[in-house]
Amino acid sequence: MEEYKGITGSEALIRALLAEDVDTIFGYPGGAIMPVFDKLYDFQQELRHILVRHEQGAVHAAQGYARACGRTGVVIVTSGPGATNVITGVADAMIDSTPLVVISGQVPANLLGTDAFQETDVVGITLPITKWSYQVRRPEDIAWAVARAFYIAGTGRPGPVVLDFTKTAQVGKIDFKYEKCSFIRSYTPIPTISEEKLNEAAELINKAKKPFMVYGQGVTLSHAEAELKAFLDKTGIPAAATLLGLSALPSDYKHYKGMLGMHGNIGPNVKTNECDVLIAIGMRFDDRVTGDVNKYARQAKIIHIDIDAAEIGKIIPVDVGILGDAKEVLTRLLPKVEQKEYNDWEDEFDKCAIVERARVIEYEVNPEKGDINMGEVIRCVSIVSHSDAIVVTDVGQNQMMGARYSTFAQTRSMITSGGLGTMGFGLPAAIGAKIACPERAVCFFSGDGGVQMSIQEFGTIMQEHCGVKIIILNNNWLGNVRQWQQMFFEERYSQTRMTNPDFMKISEAYGFKHRRVTRREDLKSAVVEMLADNDSPFVLEVCVIEDGMVFPMIPPGKGVTEIMLNAKEWF
């Protein structure tokens, strides 16, 4: 690596980012980070900076970028409110295992602890929600800190790292030489896989009569999609995805049985409590997947494969815990398992699917009359896009409908806020996804509530000429909260009715192509128009049924077999 003599810390930071192959930064300038932005002026050909309209938009956009292309997202903001505005996104990235390096400005080192203008304890605030948080006080520490940050963020179970850069470090002069980090004492991102545990798992799998595989985002993060498919091809085991695991397998793959969880498909939920061996890989047994843990897979031998030791046995007791990278575990497990088919067992999933299709899906996607349903909008987009779009959702009914009724042909095609459930996530995340993958259609589904939490990012889309397709499913309610109020709070609709602006006029103000659909017969032509030009932003507002509900549903506190088909009927 070339050495640079007598450069500022700000230049050293930028050269360090370039050495880590960073090509895109999401950020917002301010006083305490001004030296870095000043130096960035000299590197506009090498580094693309996306000027968002709010720092939370920067971190969510970086998340979308990272989730779409698999690279570490980078954020640069100023101190004080700039840094605190990224906290939600940092917490979101931590719980959803998204690799980020977030750089915040900070007051000069000699003013630390004096309550100087726009000073906050960024390290103290972010320590609980990051893999590593560190304050850079001297320019001499920049190369070491940045290299360490990227190594920690992108290895093992990925996650966010925060580097708090004092102005002292930014303006000081140093001789700079960069070396990437590949080792940190006491940090073992890729654990050694136990051969004994592999053998134990293989024995259970080979003896199983009704095995079932459940997988999460860990498969995608490990780039283990091909290995998962090879494993299922050989063993014939039916499989289902968590919300964040969606698209790791194509939707039409023969052994894929749908989505797990509160609003998941009936078969995967019910058969969880009928399988004799449950193989969980790259997932953490979130409460939205398990329901009442005392009623979850009590009959099954459980094999849990995860790269994070803290997850194995944390929620669900396991019979065999394999600590390791999903790709490597599946590769080493494959020759140990037998070639099999489970046709009768798979038929049991299919019988559940027939019931769900008749009692839930057909009503949602092919209604004969009445107002437009959310599900039929999402299914229409999937059909017209040939299941090839990157689907980004906000949080709420739009998210669950997007997960249920989108279909996927390739991996890294579902981006949503899982563990934190962050409203306002989707619009900036869609921007990041489109910047990461400009050749792909990026379709963002939102409710009328969620889109207004980050609607200022329309300005970012306008400035960057970013061809995001924005589908607003407008029911004039905070729909998911309204659904819970209807079902569990005696229809006391407290603070969930929305009075909305004219989204078409807002779209026009930003220069976006736009269309509002109120009639079912106009829906397909509007979607075709929206997707006709991949490079132009488009806002499609669809006025959907106001009291629509997301079903099936496992009510909170219930087990995975206690499934409501509608507001009155149980499976």
Side-chain angles (χ1 to χ4, degrees):
M1 178 63 66
E2 186 177 354
E3 185 173 357
Y4 298 90
K5 300 285 188 179
I7 66 173
T8 65
S10 295
E11 182 175 344
L13 171 60
I14 291 170
R15 292 196 179 278
L17 296 177
L18 291 172
E20 292 289 346
D21 301 317
V22 174
D23 59 12
T24 304
I25 299 168
F26 302 89
Y28 205 96
I33 199 68
M34 197 76 75
V36 171
F37 275 86
D38 178 68
K39 183 50 64 175
L40 190 61
Y41 188 86
D42 298 329
F43 289 85
Q44 296 178 68
Q45 299 304 312
E46 296 95 332
L47 278 173
R48 181 182 182 185
H49 180 273
I50 308 299
L51 177 63
V52 296
R53 298 305 187 261
H54 190 284
E55 290 90 352
Q56 186 171 340
V59 70
H60 291 327
Q63 288 177 274
Y65 176 93
R67 296 265 290 273
C69 69
R71 303 176 67 184
T72 298
V74 179
V75 176
I76 301 182
V77 297
T78 194
S79 65
T84 58
N85 280 344
V86 303
I87 298 301
T88 297
V90 170
D92 192 290
M94 186 65 177
I95 200 166
D96 281 355
S97 304
T98 305
L100 297 181
V101 172
V102 178
I103 296 162
S104 60
Q106 185 55 275
V107 301
N110 65 304
L111 293 181
L112 290 170
T114 67
D115 293 328
F117 179 66
Q118 292 192 333
E119 180 192 3
T120 55
D121 182 5
V122 174
V123 172
I125 292 170
T126 58
L127 271 175
I129 54 170
T130 55
K131 288 187 73 177
W132 186 50
S133 188
Y134 183 77
Q135 187 173 76
V136 181
R137 299 186 181 187
R138 309 181 311 150
E140 291 86 354
D141 296 333
I142 291 173
W144 173 86
V146 173
R148 190 180 178 98
F150 275 88
Y151 181 61
I152 292 172
T155 56
R157 181 178 181 175
V161 169
V162 168
L163 294 178
D164 191 40
F165 270 79
T166 65
K167 217 165 186 179
T168 307
Q170 296 173 48
V171 301
K173 295 287 187 73
I174 52 166
D175 296 337
F176 177 77
K177 186 176 182 180
Y178 192 79
E179 293 183 8
K180 289 188 177 183
C181 178
S182 60
F183 172 78
I184 297 173
R185 190 176 62 183
S186 78
Y187 174 60
T188 307
I190 306 296
T192 301
I193 298 169
S194 166
E195 190 72 18
E196 180 182 359
K197 296 295 185 183
L198 289 172
N199 290 333
E200 290 177 14
E203 184 178 3
L204 284 177
I205 293 167
N206 290 334
K207 290 180 179 178
K209 303 299 182 185
K210 292 184 174 183
F212 183 32
M213 167 78 82
V214 294
Y215 62 91
Q217 188 186 204
V219 171
T220 305
L221 295 172
S222 178
H223 305 282
E225 296 92 341
E227 287 75 13
L228 175 62
K229 188 171 181 294
F231 180 87
L232 298 174
D233 284 342
K234 182 177 182 180
T235 62
I237 296 174
T242 67
L243 175 64
L244 295 188
L246 289 172
S247 82
L249 291 174
S251 299
D252 61 358
Y253 175 61
K254 61 182 178 179
H255 297 305
Y256 175 68
K257 301 303 176 186
M259 183 178 73
L260 303 154
M262 177 177 280
H263 291 292
N265 296 108
I266 292 173
N269 283 321
V270 169
K271 299 308 169 184
T272 296
N273 277 14
E274 296 180 17
C275 66
D276 57 358
V277 174
L278 183 68
I279 310 155
I281 182 165
M283 55 89 75
R284 58 189 179 86
F285 290 111
D286 175 77
D287 60 286
R288 289 296 173 99
V289 165
T290 65
D292 182 355
V293 294
N294 295 311
K295 300 177 181 178
Y296 184 84
R298 307 293 287 183
Q299 79 295 336
K301 297 289 186 181
I302 295 178
I303 301 165
H304 192 182
I305 303 163
D306 205 281
I307 201 167
D308 187 350
E311 295 297 346
I312 297 177
K314 184 176 81 173
I315 306 296
I316 300 297
V318 302
D319 295 277
V320 180
I322 302 177
L323 182 63
D325 174 75
K327 188 182 186 77
E328 186 180 355
V329 171
L330 288 170
T331 299
R332 290 176 57 181
L333 198 55
L334 185 63
K336 298 177 183 289
V337 294
E338 298 171 358
Q339 183 98 29
K340 287 193 176 183
E341 292 181 353
Y342 297 94
N343 294 329
D344 292 343
W345 173 228
E346 289 205 87
D347 285 346
E348 293 186 32
F349 284 85
D350 296 339
K351 289 175 183 175
C352 292
I354 290 170
V355 173
E356 184 174 349
R357 191 156 48 244
R359 304 287 286 281
V360 179
I361 295 173
E362 281 301 310
Y363 166 78
E364 185 64 37
V365 302
N366 293 311
E368 295 180 358
K369 58 183 179 179
D371 294 328
I372 302 171
N373 290 332
M374 288 189 183
E376 66 180 304
V377 179
I378 290 155
R379 182 57 56 86
C380 182
V381 172
S382 269
I383 291 170
V384 175
S385 67
H386 305 290
S387 306
D388 204 39
I390 296 176
V391 174
V392 184
T393 80
D394 209 71
V395 169
Q397 288 183 319
N398 67 88
Q399 178 185 38
M400 294 296 99
M401 290 293 192
R404 284 186 52 80
Y405 296 110
S406 294
T407 52
F408 306 103
Q410 61 176 301
T411 189
R412 293 190 179 274
S413 294
M414 178 63 174
I415 298 174
T416 193
S417 172
L420 201 63
T422 305
M423 286 183 69
F425 167 91
L427 181 59
I431 295 170
K434 185 63 176 178
I435 288 168
C437 303
E439 74 286 355
R440 296 189 66 187
V442 174
C443 295
F444 161 57
F445 294 102
S446 180
D448 43 299
V451 72
Q452 292 182 80
M453 283 199 168
S454 52
I455 200 167
Q456 71 279 350
E457 300 307 332
F458 275 26
T460 306
I461 293 172
M462 176 180 64
Q463 185 163 337
E464 296 295 331
H465 308 289
C466 186
V468 173
K469 311 306 180 186
I470 301 160
I471 303 104
I472 302 172
L473 303 171
N474 188 354
N475 61 5
N476 298 303
W477 288 88
L478 296 177
N480 208 48
V481 183
R482 185 205 56 76
Q483 177 168 336
W484 282 51
Q485 288 172 334
Q486 179 175 331
M487 296 177 69
F488 311 122
F489 291 88
E490 301 177 341
E491 301 183 15
R492 292 160 60 87
Y493 299 119
S494 176
Q495 306 305 315
T496 45
R497 182 70 180 177
M498 298 284 287
T499 299
N500 291 312
D502 187 330
F503 292 113
M504 297 296 94
K505 288 184 178 179
I506 293 172
S507 303
E508 184 178 354
Y510 282 98
F512 298 167
K513 297 177 182 178
H514 55 278
R515 187 164 167 182
R516 177 185 286 124
V517 172
T518 59
R519 302 187 310 161
R520 178 168 289 110
E521 52 266 36
D522 297 329
L523 177 60
K524 184 175 180 180
S525 66
V527 172
V528 170
E529 180 185 352
M530 176 182 74
L531 293 174
D533 179 2
N534 184 50
D535 299 323
S536 297
F538 195 107
V539 176
L540 174 61
E541 179 189 3
V542 184
C543 299
V544 297
I545 184 171
E546 289 203 354
D547 58 353
M549 306 277 271
V550 185
F551 288 109
M553 181 180 186
I554 300 169
K558 298 294 185 180
V560 290
T561 62
E562 300 172 275
I563 302 171
M564 299 184 71
L565 296 174
N566 52 56
K568 297 179 180 179
E569 189 178 7
W570 296 75
F571 175 72

